[in-house]
Amino acid sequence: MRMSGSGFDSTESTYYLASPNNEIDRTGNATHIAIERVVSYIAEHLDEDLSIDRLAAIACLSRFYFAKAFREIVGTSPNEYVTRLRVIRAKYLLSLTDLTVLQISKDCGYRSQSTFGAMFKRSIGMTPSEYRSQLIISNLSD
């Protein structure tokens, strides 16, 4: 699902590409182009299955070579990258919408609210509900 019109800018995801000045390598290298295509795909399809096999197929690379090239170019594993973007999206949705945690978990590509909650807590240090409550308290005190 694309988030156009919702305030979530999927182009923000490209800043994770590893380079001295955080720019995409535009040398024309076929592998770099394939990884760039996957990075764009991830940002636009965070609510879908983003398994290594699927991403490797999009890049037209073997699973092993894709994972290795992705880590070298982006600076993190594909799974870590997807999780990072999903957390960013979840924080955005928790902050600026009234969607339930279950709706947000599905919008962020998780089939289970408990899996989403565990991932969010591991990444942020609190549950999605605690995060939202903290934002509400913070806004009330301002």
Side-chain angles (χ1 to χ4, degrees), residues 93-107:
L93 293 171
L94 288 163
S95 302
L96 299 174
T97 72
D98 291 329
L99 294 173
T100 66
V101 173
L102 177 60
Q103 290 169 313
I104 291 170
S105 69
K106 292 188 182 302
D107 284 349

Side-chain angles (χ1 to χ4, degrees), residues 18 21 26 49 61 63 67 77 79 86 90 107 112 134 140:
N21 55 3
R26 302 214 186 265
D49 169 37
L61 300 171
R63 176 188 167 118
S77 75
N79 288 334
R86 285 178 169 165
D107 284 349
S112 153
Q134 183 181 37
L140 289 175

Side-chain angles (χ1 to χ4, degrees), residues 15-73:
Y15 77 88
Y16 288 114
L17 293 172
S19 71
N21 55 3
N22 288 331
E23 292 181 2
I24 298 171
D25 180 344
R26 302 214 186 265
T27 61
N29 177 304
T31 301
H32 282 87
I33 293 167
I35 298 301
E36 182 178 345
R37 184 172 57 244
V38 169
V39 166
S40 294
Y41 181 88
I42 290 169
E44 294 174 5
H45 297 87
L46 283 173
D47 64 331
E48 298 175 17
D49 169 37
L50 297 173
S51 66
I52 295 290
D53 290 332
R54 183 167 188 179
L55 298 176
I58 291 164
C60 300
L61 300 171
S62 74
R63 176 188 167 118
F64 174 78
Y65 186 73
F66 167 74
K68 183 176 186 280
F70 192 96
R71 180 178 289 282
E72 288 175 3
I73 294 168

Side-chain angles (χ1 to χ4, degrees), residues 7-18:
F8 181 81
D9 183 3
S10 64
T11 59
E12 290 178 12
S13 65
T14 57
Y15 77 88
Y16 288 114
L17 293 172

